[in-house]
Amino acid sequence: MKVLAVFNSKSGDAWKYTQLLLPYLDHFGVPYESLDVGTAVFAADRQRHPLVILSHPDILSSLDGNAAAAGIVGRIEDMVKKGSGLVSFDPLFPLPGMSPAEGTDGSAGPNATKTSRLRFGEKPHYIIQNREPGEELMLFGPLVLHAGASPDEDVLISGNDHVLLGVMTAGGSGSASNGRIVRWTSMSWMHSSVLGPLGGLDGCLWRSIVWAAAKPFVLRCLPPIVTMRVDDVAGQGHLFGKPPLYWVDIAVRYGFKPWLGLFLYNLRPKAVDEVREYVTTRNADAFPHAFGRPPRNKGTKEFYYDPQALPLRSKVYDEFIYYDHNENRNWSDEEAMRGLKAVDEWYDRHRPLPKSSYIVPHWYEISTNTLPYVTDIWKCEYLGMCKEIDLPLSGGTPWLMSGPYRLYEKQGEAERGKGPVYYADFVTPAGKTLFNTVTEIRDDAG
Protein backbone atom coordinates (compact mmCIF):
# COMPACT_ATOMS: atom_id res chain seq x y z
CA MET A 1 0.00 0.00 0.00
CA LYS A 2 3.00 2.33 0.21
CA VAL A 3 3.80 4.98 -2.37
CA LEU A 4 7.28 4.66 -3.89
CA ALA A 5 8.95 8.07 -3.69
CA VAL A 6 11.91 8.06 -6.08
CA PHE A 7 14.72 10.58 -5.62
CA ASN A 8 18.40 10.89 -6.53
CA SER A 9 20.73 12.09 -3.79
CA LYS A 10 23.39 12.87 -6.45
CA SER A 11 21.13 15.38 -8.16
CA GLY A 12 21.49 19.05 -7.33
CA ASP A 13 17.69 19.20 -6.96
CA ALA A 14 17.38 16.40 -4.39
CA TRP A 15 16.83 18.96 -1.63
CA LYS A 16 13.45 19.78 -3.18
CA TYR A 17 12.26 16.31 -2.22
CA THR A 18 13.28 16.59 1.44
CA GLN A 19 12.52 20.29 1.95
CA LEU A 20 9.49 20.92 -0.28
CA LEU A 21 7.62 17.68 -0.98
CA LEU A 22 8.21 15.56 2.13
CA PRO A 23 6.54 18.05 4.51
CA TYR A 24 3.39 17.71 2.38
CA LEU A 25 3.54 13.90 2.26
CA ASP A 26 4.07 13.70 6.02
CA HIS A 27 1.31 16.17 6.85
CA PHE A 28 -1.17 14.64 4.39
CA GLY A 29 -0.50 11.20 5.87
CA VAL A 30 0.75 9.59 2.65
CA PRO A 31 2.27 6.18 3.42
CA TYR A 32 5.52 6.19 1.43
CA GLU A 33 8.83 4.41 0.95
CA SER A 34 11.82 6.38 -0.35
CA LEU A 35 14.10 4.96 -3.06
CA ASP A 36 17.39 6.76 -3.70
CA VAL A 37 18.40 5.81 -7.26
CA GLY A 38 21.69 7.64 -6.74
CA THR A 39 22.90 4.95 -4.34
CA ALA A 40 20.56 1.96 -4.76
CA VAL A 41 19.55 -0.21 -7.70
CA PHE A 42 15.99 0.16 -8.98
CA ALA A 43 15.27 -3.59 -9.08
CA ALA A 44 13.56 -4.89 -12.22
CA ASP A 45 11.37 -7.25 -10.17
CA ARG A 46 10.29 -4.60 -7.67
CA GLN A 47 6.87 -5.29 -6.21
CA ARG A 48 3.92 -3.26 -7.38
CA HIS A 49 3.10 0.02 -5.65
CA PRO A 50 -0.19 1.87 -5.98
CA LEU A 51 1.76 5.01 -6.93
CA VAL A 52 5.25 6.10 -7.94
CA ILE A 53 6.32 9.70 -7.28
CA LEU A 54 9.24 11.23 -9.17
CA SER A 55 10.05 13.48 -6.28
CA HIS A 56 12.12 16.32 -7.73
CA PRO A 57 13.47 17.68 -11.05
CA ASP A 58 16.42 16.14 -12.89
CA ILE A 59 16.24 12.71 -11.24
CA LEU A 60 18.33 11.08 -13.96
CA SER A 61 21.32 13.42 -13.58
CA SER A 62 24.72 12.19 -12.33
CA LEU A 63 23.80 8.53 -12.76
CA ASP A 64 26.46 6.04 -13.87
CA GLY A 65 25.92 5.93 -17.62
CA ASN A 66 22.95 6.00 -19.96
CA ALA A 67 22.09 2.38 -19.18
CA ALA A 68 21.23 3.24 -15.58
CA ALA A 69 18.96 6.08 -16.67
CA ALA A 70 17.33 3.94 -19.33
CA GLY A 71 16.78 1.18 -16.80
CA ILE A 72 14.96 3.52 -14.41
CA VAL A 73 12.79 4.89 -17.21
CA GLY A 74 11.94 1.38 -18.40
CA ARG A 75 11.07 0.10 -14.94
CA ILE A 76 8.79 3.02 -14.18
CA GLU A 77 7.08 2.61 -17.57
CA ASP A 78 6.59 -1.09 -16.80
CA MET A 79 5.04 -0.33 -13.40
CA VAL A 80 2.66 2.19 -14.95
CA LYS A 81 1.67 -0.29 -17.70
CA LYS A 82 0.79 -2.78 -14.96
CA GLY A 83 -1.52 -0.27 -13.29
CA SER A 84 0.58 1.77 -10.86
CA GLY A 85 -0.10 5.50 -10.89
CA LEU A 86 2.62 8.07 -11.48
CA VAL A 87 3.00 11.61 -10.13
CA SER A 88 6.00 13.42 -11.57
CA PHE A 89 7.74 16.56 -10.34
CA ASP A 90 10.54 16.09 -12.88
CA PRO A 91 9.85 18.10 -16.06
CA LEU A 92 12.82 16.47 -17.83
CA PHE A 93 11.80 12.86 -17.20
CA PRO A 94 10.53 11.10 -20.37
CA LEU A 95 7.03 10.12 -19.26
CA PRO A 96 4.97 7.68 -21.35
CA GLY A 97 3.00 9.70 -23.90
CA MET A 98 4.26 13.09 -22.70
CA SER A 99 6.93 15.39 -24.10
CA PRO A 100 9.66 16.42 -21.64
CA ALA A 101 10.03 20.12 -20.90
CA GLU A 102 13.01 21.97 -22.37
CA GLY A 103 14.29 23.46 -19.12
CA THR A 104 14.77 22.55 -15.51
CA ASP A 105 12.46 23.69 -12.75
CA GLY A 106 12.90 27.39 -12.04
CA SER A 107 15.38 28.18 -14.85
CA ALA A 108 14.48 30.39 -17.80
CA GLY A 109 14.93 28.49 -21.08
CA PRO A 110 14.24 29.75 -24.62
CA ASN A 111 10.57 28.70 -24.51
CA ALA A 112 9.98 29.47 -20.83
CA THR A 113 7.49 31.95 -19.49
CA LYS A 114 7.21 33.86 -16.25
CA THR A 115 3.70 34.10 -14.93
CA SER A 116 2.17 35.99 -12.01
CA ARG A 117 -1.11 34.05 -12.08
CA LEU A 118 -2.34 30.53 -12.71
CA ARG A 119 -5.46 29.49 -14.57
CA PHE A 120 -7.54 26.41 -13.81
CA GLY A 121 -8.91 24.35 -16.70
CA GLU A 122 -12.43 24.58 -18.10
CA LYS A 123 -13.18 20.85 -18.00
CA PRO A 124 -14.35 19.27 -14.70
CA HIS A 125 -11.83 17.00 -13.00
CA TYR A 126 -11.49 15.47 -9.53
CA ILE A 127 -8.16 17.22 -8.90
CA ILE A 128 -9.60 20.73 -9.44
CA GLN A 129 -13.18 20.01 -8.44
CA ASN A 130 -13.25 22.82 -5.86
CA ARG A 131 -12.30 25.44 -8.46
CA GLU A 132 -14.53 27.30 -10.89
CA PRO A 133 -13.86 26.62 -14.61
CA GLY A 134 -11.27 29.11 -15.82
CA GLU A 135 -10.69 30.51 -12.32
CA GLU A 136 -7.43 32.40 -11.82
CA LEU A 137 -5.08 32.29 -8.84
CA MET A 138 -2.75 35.20 -8.20
CA LEU A 139 0.81 34.40 -7.09
CA PHE A 140 2.96 36.32 -4.59
CA GLY A 141 5.96 36.13 -6.94
CA PRO A 142 6.72 35.03 -10.53
CA LEU A 143 6.66 31.35 -11.48
CA VAL A 144 8.76 30.03 -14.39
CA LEU A 145 7.04 27.40 -16.56
CA HIS A 146 8.43 25.53 -19.57
CA ALA A 147 6.16 22.86 -20.93
CA GLY A 148 3.47 22.94 -23.55
CA ALA A 149 0.75 20.29 -23.51
CA SER A 150 1.31 16.82 -24.91
CA PRO A 151 -1.31 15.39 -27.34
CA ASP A 152 -3.06 13.06 -24.86
CA GLU A 153 -2.70 15.33 -21.85
CA ASP A 154 -5.53 17.17 -20.15
CA VAL A 155 -4.23 20.49 -18.82
CA LEU A 156 -5.69 21.27 -15.40
CA ILE A 157 -3.55 24.26 -14.37
CA SER A 158 -1.54 26.55 -16.62
CA GLY A 159 0.12 29.94 -16.76
CA ASN A 160 0.52 31.93 -19.98
CA ASP A 161 -0.54 28.77 -21.88
CA HIS A 162 2.32 26.79 -20.32
CA VAL A 163 1.42 23.69 -18.31
CA LEU A 164 1.87 23.51 -14.56
CA LEU A 165 -0.38 20.47 -13.99
CA GLY A 166 -1.42 17.95 -16.63
CA VAL A 167 -2.93 14.47 -16.44
CA MET A 168 -3.42 11.50 -18.73
CA THR A 169 -3.89 7.74 -18.75
CA ALA A 170 -0.83 5.71 -19.73
CA GLY A 171 -0.98 4.75 -23.40
CA GLY A 172 -3.68 7.29 -24.17
CA SER A 173 -7.40 7.36 -23.58
CA GLY A 174 -7.95 4.20 -25.64
CA SER A 175 -5.34 2.16 -23.79
CA ALA A 176 -6.29 -0.95 -21.87
CA SER A 177 -3.90 0.11 -19.14
CA ASN A 178 -5.42 2.02 -16.25
CA GLY A 179 -2.17 3.54 -14.97
CA ARG A 180 -2.77 7.26 -14.47
CA ILE A 181 -0.09 9.93 -14.88
CA VAL A 182 0.06 13.35 -13.26
CA ARG A 183 2.71 15.84 -14.32
CA TRP A 184 3.70 18.84 -12.18
CA THR A 185 6.17 20.78 -14.31
CA SER A 186 7.45 22.90 -11.42
CA MET A 187 7.85 22.72 -7.65
CA SER A 188 8.71 26.39 -7.30
CA TRP A 189 5.13 27.26 -6.35
CA MET A 190 5.84 25.55 -3.01
CA HIS A 191 8.10 28.46 -2.00
CA SER A 192 6.36 31.08 0.15
CA SER A 193 7.85 33.79 -2.05
CA VAL A 194 5.88 32.39 -5.02
CA LEU A 195 2.76 30.85 -3.41
CA GLY A 196 3.62 28.37 -0.67
CA PRO A 197 1.58 26.09 1.60
CA LEU A 198 -2.09 27.02 2.02
CA GLY A 199 -1.73 29.38 -0.92
CA GLY A 200 -4.32 27.60 -3.03
CA LEU A 201 -2.73 24.44 -4.50
CA ASP A 202 -2.52 22.12 -1.48
CA GLY A 203 -5.86 20.52 -2.33
CA CYS A 204 -4.78 19.96 -5.92
CA LEU A 205 -1.58 18.32 -4.67
CA TRP A 206 -3.20 15.72 -2.43
CA ARG A 207 -5.99 15.13 -4.95
CA SER A 208 -3.41 14.50 -7.69
CA ILE A 209 -1.89 11.79 -5.51
CA VAL A 210 -5.29 10.24 -4.77
CA TRP A 211 -6.45 10.42 -8.40
CA ALA A 212 -3.30 8.84 -9.85
CA ALA A 213 -2.88 6.05 -7.30
CA ALA A 214 -4.18 2.57 -8.04
CA LYS A 215 -7.13 1.79 -5.78
CA PRO A 216 -7.62 0.92 -2.98
CA PHE A 217 -5.46 3.75 -1.66
CA VAL A 218 -5.45 5.30 1.81
CA LEU A 219 -4.37 8.67 3.20
CA ARG A 220 -4.04 9.01 6.98
CA CYS A 221 -5.28 12.58 6.90
CA LEU A 222 -7.38 14.80 9.15
CA PRO A 223 -11.05 15.24 8.33
CA PRO A 224 -12.02 18.64 6.90
CA ILE A 225 -12.36 20.54 10.18
CA VAL A 226 -13.04 24.29 10.07
CA THR A 227 -11.93 26.15 13.16
CA MET A 228 -13.19 29.56 14.30
CA ARG A 229 -10.92 31.80 16.32
CA VAL A 230 -12.01 35.36 17.12
CA ASP A 231 -9.60 37.80 18.78
CA ASP A 232 -10.35 41.11 20.54
CA VAL A 233 -13.77 40.00 21.83
CA ALA A 234 -15.24 43.05 23.57
CA GLY A 235 -18.98 42.29 23.56
CA GLN A 236 -20.08 45.32 21.55
CA GLY A 237 -23.37 43.92 20.27
CA HIS A 238 -25.26 46.83 21.82
CA LEU A 239 -23.90 49.06 19.05
CA PHE A 240 -26.18 47.14 16.69
CA GLY A 241 -29.13 46.85 19.06
CA LYS A 242 -28.30 43.23 19.85
CA PRO A 243 -27.02 41.17 22.81
CA PRO A 244 -23.28 41.61 23.50
CA LEU A 245 -22.21 38.33 21.87
CA TYR A 246 -25.10 37.83 19.41
CA TRP A 247 -22.70 36.56 16.75
CA VAL A 248 -21.53 33.71 19.00
CA ASP A 249 -25.11 32.45 19.17
CA ILE A 250 -25.27 32.53 15.36
CA ALA A 251 -21.97 30.67 15.07
CA VAL A 252 -23.09 28.00 17.55
CA ARG A 253 -26.38 27.49 15.70
CA TYR A 254 -24.42 26.83 12.51
CA GLY A 255 -22.25 24.21 14.16
CA PHE A 256 -19.15 26.19 15.10
CA LYS A 257 -17.52 26.13 18.52
CA PRO A 258 -15.68 29.45 18.60
CA TRP A 259 -12.54 30.25 20.56
CA LEU A 260 -12.92 33.74 22.05
CA GLY A 261 -9.86 35.88 22.74
CA LEU A 262 -11.27 38.15 25.43
CA PHE A 263 -10.62 41.86 25.94
CA LEU A 264 -11.32 41.45 29.65
CA TYR A 265 -11.89 45.03 30.77
CA ASN A 266 -14.14 45.87 27.80
CA LEU A 267 -16.69 43.19 28.74
CA ARG A 268 -19.79 44.56 30.46
CA PRO A 269 -21.37 42.35 33.16
CA LYS A 270 -24.01 41.15 30.67
CA ALA A 271 -21.27 40.20 28.18
CA VAL A 272 -19.42 38.26 30.89
CA ASP A 273 -22.65 36.41 31.69
CA GLU A 274 -22.96 35.42 28.03
CA VAL A 275 -19.34 34.24 27.89
CA ARG A 276 -19.95 32.17 31.02
CA GLU A 277 -23.06 30.56 29.51
CA TYR A 278 -21.26 29.57 26.30
CA VAL A 279 -18.14 28.31 28.06
CA THR A 280 -19.87 26.31 30.81
CA THR A 281 -22.16 24.63 28.24
CA ARG A 282 -19.06 23.91 26.13
CA ASN A 283 -20.46 25.73 23.12
CA ALA A 284 -17.43 28.02 23.06
CA ASP A 285 -13.95 28.37 24.53
CA ALA A 286 -12.49 31.59 25.92
CA PHE A 287 -9.13 32.90 27.12
CA PRO A 288 -7.71 36.26 28.27
CA HIS A 289 -6.32 37.77 25.08
CA ALA A 290 -5.53 41.25 26.46
CA PHE A 291 -6.89 43.67 29.05
CA GLY A 292 -8.46 45.57 26.18
CA ARG A 293 -8.88 49.03 24.71
CA PRO A 294 -9.26 51.91 27.18
CA PRO A 295 -11.44 54.98 26.41
CA ARG A 296 -8.42 57.16 25.59
CA ASN A 297 -9.61 59.32 22.70
CA LYS A 298 -12.50 60.40 20.48
CA GLY A 299 -12.72 57.05 18.73
CA THR A 300 -12.85 55.00 21.95
CA LYS A 301 -14.26 57.34 24.58
CA GLU A 302 -17.62 55.52 24.58
CA PHE A 303 -15.99 52.14 25.27
CA TYR A 304 -16.87 50.40 28.52
CA TYR A 305 -13.79 49.81 30.67
CA ASP A 306 -13.91 47.90 33.95
CA PRO A 307 -13.92 50.36 36.89
CA GLN A 308 -11.78 47.88 38.86
CA ALA A 309 -9.20 47.62 36.07
CA LEU A 310 -5.47 47.54 36.66
CA PRO A 311 -4.12 51.12 36.31
CA LEU A 312 -3.08 51.83 32.71
CA ARG A 313 0.42 50.66 31.90
CA SER A 314 0.69 52.33 28.47
CA LYS A 315 -0.01 55.82 27.14
CA VAL A 316 -1.46 54.75 23.77
CA TYR A 317 -3.45 51.97 22.09
CA ASP A 318 -4.42 48.73 23.91
CA GLU A 319 -3.51 47.34 27.30
CA PHE A 320 -1.53 44.11 26.89
CA ILE A 321 -1.10 41.23 29.34
CA TYR A 322 1.83 39.12 28.17
CA TYR A 323 4.21 41.65 26.55
CA ASP A 324 4.92 45.39 26.63
CA HIS A 325 3.75 45.94 23.06
CA ASN A 326 4.02 49.72 23.02
CA GLU A 327 7.67 49.62 24.10
CA ASN A 328 8.55 46.47 22.09
CA ARG A 329 10.02 44.69 25.10
CA ASN A 330 9.24 42.18 27.82
CA TRP A 331 7.60 43.39 30.99
CA SER A 332 9.90 43.43 33.97
CA ASP A 333 9.41 40.38 36.19
CA GLU A 334 7.53 42.48 38.72
CA GLU A 335 5.24 44.08 36.12
CA ALA A 336 4.65 40.76 34.37
CA MET A 337 3.46 39.18 37.61
CA ARG A 338 1.31 42.22 38.42
CA GLY A 339 -0.51 41.84 35.13
CA LEU A 340 -1.04 38.09 35.53
CA LYS A 341 -2.36 38.54 39.06
CA ALA A 342 -4.76 41.20 37.73
CA VAL A 343 -6.11 38.63 35.28
CA ASP A 344 -6.63 36.18 38.15
CA GLU A 345 -8.44 38.87 40.14
CA TRP A 346 -10.77 39.55 37.20
CA TYR A 347 -11.57 35.82 36.90
CA ASP A 348 -12.11 35.53 40.66
CA ARG A 349 -14.73 38.28 40.43
CA HIS A 350 -16.54 36.46 37.62
CA ARG A 351 -16.56 32.84 38.78
CA PRO A 352 -17.34 30.30 37.47
CA LEU A 353 -15.57 31.04 34.20
CA PRO A 354 -13.18 28.31 33.01
CA LYS A 355 -10.20 29.27 30.86
CA SER A 356 -9.40 27.49 27.62
CA SER A 357 -6.25 25.37 27.44
CA TYR A 358 -5.33 27.29 24.27
CA ILE A 359 -3.62 30.69 24.41
CA VAL A 360 -3.32 33.19 21.58
CA PRO A 361 -1.81 36.39 23.02
CA HIS A 362 -2.71 39.78 21.56
CA TRP A 363 -0.50 40.39 18.51
CA TYR A 364 1.05 36.93 19.21
CA GLU A 365 3.33 38.69 21.72
CA ILE A 366 4.37 36.89 24.89
CA SER A 367 7.50 36.94 27.04
CA THR A 368 9.62 34.37 28.81
CA ASN A 369 8.57 35.66 32.23
CA THR A 370 4.83 35.25 31.57
CA LEU A 371 4.65 31.92 29.73
CA PRO A 372 5.53 29.66 32.72
CA TYR A 373 2.59 31.12 34.67
CA VAL A 374 0.29 30.42 31.73
CA THR A 375 1.38 26.78 31.53
CA ASP A 376 1.90 25.94 35.23
CA ILE A 377 -0.92 27.93 36.85
CA TRP A 378 -3.47 28.27 34.05
CA LYS A 379 -2.64 24.80 32.63
CA CYS A 380 -2.39 25.80 28.98
CA GLU A 381 -1.33 23.01 26.62
CA TYR A 382 -1.84 24.70 23.25
CA LEU A 383 -0.38 27.88 21.80
CA GLY A 384 -1.03 30.07 18.77
CA MET A 385 2.28 31.56 17.69
CA CYS A 386 3.88 32.52 14.36
CA LYS A 387 7.19 33.87 15.68
CA GLU A 388 9.55 33.33 18.61
CA ILE A 389 8.58 34.61 22.06
CA ASP A 390 10.17 37.80 23.47
CA LEU A 391 9.82 39.53 20.09
CA PRO A 392 7.29 42.03 18.72
CA LEU A 393 5.12 41.21 15.73
CA SER A 394 6.54 43.88 13.47
CA GLY A 395 8.47 44.35 10.28
CA GLY A 396 11.75 42.46 10.38
CA THR A 397 10.68 39.87 12.97
CA PRO A 398 11.33 36.45 11.38
CA TRP A 399 8.68 33.78 11.33
CA LEU A 400 8.88 30.72 13.56
CA MET A 401 10.82 27.78 12.13
CA SER A 402 8.40 24.95 12.84
CA GLY A 403 6.24 22.27 11.25
CA PRO A 404 4.64 21.14 9.18
CA TYR A 405 5.90 23.44 6.43
CA ARG A 406 8.29 26.06 7.82
CA LEU A 407 11.14 23.71 8.60
CA TYR A 408 13.77 24.65 5.99
CA GLU A 409 12.84 27.75 4.06
CA LYS A 410 14.76 30.94 4.81
CA GLN A 411 12.84 32.86 7.44
CA GLY A 412 10.71 35.67 6.13
CA GLU A 413 8.88 38.22 8.22
CA ALA A 414 6.34 36.82 10.66
CA GLU A 415 3.90 39.51 9.61
CA ARG A 416 3.69 38.50 5.94
CA GLY A 417 0.59 40.47 5.03
CA LYS A 418 -1.05 38.51 2.24
CA GLY A 419 0.68 35.20 2.94
CA PRO A 420 -1.23 32.52 4.85
CA VAL A 421 0.04 31.26 8.20
CA TYR A 422 -0.24 27.65 9.33
CA TYR A 423 1.50 25.78 12.14
CA ALA A 424 0.84 22.40 13.73
CA ASP A 425 3.85 21.24 15.72
CA PHE A 426 5.27 20.92 19.23
CA VAL A 427 7.35 23.85 20.47
CA THR A 428 9.28 24.45 23.69
CA PRO A 429 9.41 28.21 24.39
CA ALA A 430 10.84 29.09 27.81
CA GLY A 431 11.39 25.35 28.33
CA LYS A 432 7.63 24.65 28.29
CA THR A 433 6.31 22.10 25.79
CA LEU A 434 3.11 23.12 24.04
CA PHE A 435 1.45 22.21 20.78
CA ASN A 436 1.50 25.24 18.49
CA THR A 437 -1.60 25.29 16.31
CA VAL A 438 -2.58 28.38 14.37
CA THR A 439 -4.24 28.97 11.01
CA GLU A 440 -4.72 32.27 9.21
CA ILE A 441 -6.09 32.25 5.67
CA ARG A 442 -5.09 35.74 4.60
CA ASP A 443 -5.94 37.84 1.54
CA ASP A 444 -9.39 36.28 1.30
CA ALA A 445 -11.31 37.67 -1.70
CA GLY A 446 -8.43 39.96 -2.66
Side-chain angles (χ1 to χ4, degrees):
M1 295 297 295
K2 287 187 176 181
V3 169
L4 182 64
V6 180
F7 74 105
N8 178 3
S9 60
K10 295 180 179 178
S11 169
D13 285 318
W15 67 270
K16 295 180 180 179
Y17 170 50
T18 56
Q19 296 186 19
L20 298 179
L21 183 60
L22 274 188
Y24 277 107
L25 298 186
D26 289 334
H27 192 56
F28 289 161
V30 178
Y32 64 88
E33 172 190 344
S34 297
L35 174 63
D36 180 4
V37 294
T39 59
V41 175
F42 197 142
D45 59 347
R46 188 171 187 89
Q47 64 180 9
R48 181 174 176 269
H49 293 265
L51 181 70
V52 179
I53 298 180
L54 300 175
S55 303
H56 61 81
D58 213 13
I59 278 180
L60 299 180
S61 70
S62 304
L63 295 178
D64 295 330
N66 293 331
I72 292 171
V73 172
R75 281 157 199 152
I76 288 178
E77 284 187 352
D78 184 62
M79 293 175 74
V80 173
K81 288 178 181 178
K82 292 178 180 178
S84 295
L86 177 63
V87 172
S88 173
F89 292 95
D90 186 352
L92 300 178
F93 196 92
L95 302 175
M98 289 188 176
S99 304
E102 297 180 357
T104 58
D105 184 27
S107 65
N111 297 318
T113 185
K114 281 187 177 182
T115 183
S116 60
R117 68 184 66 201
L118 298 173
R119 189 174 188 276
F120 294 87
E122 300 283 349
K123 293 169 59 177
H125 195 282
Y126 170 78
I127 294 175
I128 56 172
Q129 72 175 24
N130 291 331
R131 293 290 183 175
E132 296 295 325
E135 180 182 345
E136 292 190 341
L137 176 64
M138 295 295 297
L139 303 175
F140 298 131
L143 176 66
V144 176
L145 297 174
H146 297 273
S150 296
D152 292 320
E153 182 180 23
D154 290 326
V155 178
L156 302 186
I157 306 176
S158 61
N160 293 344
D161 296 323
H162 284 56
V163 179
L164 171 64
L165 178 62
V167 299
M168 65 173 290
T169 300
S173 57
S175 172
S177 169
N178 62 355
R180 291 172 168 178
I181 298 176
V182 172
R183 174 173 68 148
W184 290 89
T185 66
S186 174
M187 302 178 79
S188 295
W189 62 267
M190 298 180 183
H191 294 288
S192 296
S193 59
V194 179
L195 186 64
L198 270 74
L201 292 184
D202 294 23
C204 297
L205 177 56
W206 74 256
R207 285 178 181 275
S208 71
I209 292 170
V210 170
W211 180 81
K215 310 304 183 293
F217 180 69
V218 176
L219 288 183
R220 304 188 191 96
C221 57
L222 286 171
I225 295 171
V226 179
T227 58
M228 185 176 184
R229 162 191 144 209
V230 185
D231 297 344
D232 305 0
V233 174
Q236 300 277 35
H238 67 280
L239 297 176
F240 313 101
K242 297 179 181 295
L245 298 176
Y246 70 96
W247 54 270
V248 178
D249 180 63
I250 296 171
V252 169
R253 282 192 277 122
Y254 279 89
F256 290 98
K257 183 177 180 177
W259 179 93
L260 312 179
L262 302 178
F263 269 13
L264 298 183
Y265 291 159
N266 290 130
L267 296 169
R268 288 174 165 82
K270 186 176 180 181
V272 176
D273 290 341
E274 289 190 17
V275 172
R276 183 183 300 107
E277 179 182 354
Y278 289 120
V279 171
T280 55
T281 58
R282 302 191 63 79
N283 283 315
D285 232 3
F287 196 85
H289 188 61
F291 287 123
R293 188 157 301 172
R296 297 185 191 273
N297 53 45
K298 182 179 179 180
T300 61
K301 68 178 182 179
E302 299 299 327
F303 281 13
Y304 172 82
Y305 204 70
D306 193 328
Q308 299 183 55
L310 184 74
L312 298 182
R313 300 194 285 180
S314 302
K315 295 181 180 180
V316 295
Y317 192 50
D318 294 342
E319 289 289 301
F320 285 65
I321 299 172
Y322 310 101
Y323 187 80
D324 188 353
H325 171 84
N326 292 300
E327 298 295 334
N328 287 336
R329 65 188 182 191
N330 291 356
W331 297 116
S332 67
D333 290 349
E334 180 182 4
E335 195 60 45
M337 187 56 61
R338 195 163 75 101
L340 295 168
K341 292 294 185 180
V343 173
D344 283 342
E345 290 169 6
W346 186 91
Y347 271 84
D348 285 341
R349 288 191 280 118
H350 297 96
R351 290 179 180 272
L353 190 59
K355 294 186 187 75
S356 172
S357 58
Y358 177 53
I359 175 176
V360 182
H362 197 21
W363 281 63
Y364 295 117
E365 293 174 348
I366 192 168
S367 60
T368 301
N369 56 5
T370 58
L371 189 59
Y373 196 93
V374 167
T375 57
D376 299 347
I377 306 301
W378 295 348
K379 304 301 181 184
C380 279
E381 302 175 70
Y382 303 91
L383 173 69
M385 184 65 67
C386 60
K387 58 170 190 57
E388 298 286 353
I389 65 172
D390 299 329
L391 293 173
L393 184 71
S394 60
T397 300
W399 66 43
L400 181 67
M401 295 293 282
S402 186
Y405 298 120
R406 287 179 170 172
L407 296 170
Y408 306 100
E409 193 173 3
K410 181 180 178 181
Q411 288 173 282
E413 292 182 9
E415 191 177 17
R416 276 193 84 287
K418 293 182 178 181
V421 174
Y422 177 65
Y423 287 103
D425 199 4
F426 285 98
V427 293
T428 54
K432 301 296 182 180
T433 300
L434 299 102
F435 191 78
N436 184 34
T437 171
V438 58
T439 305
E440 288 190 6
I441 307 300
R442 298 184 177 179
D443 193 31
D444 183 25

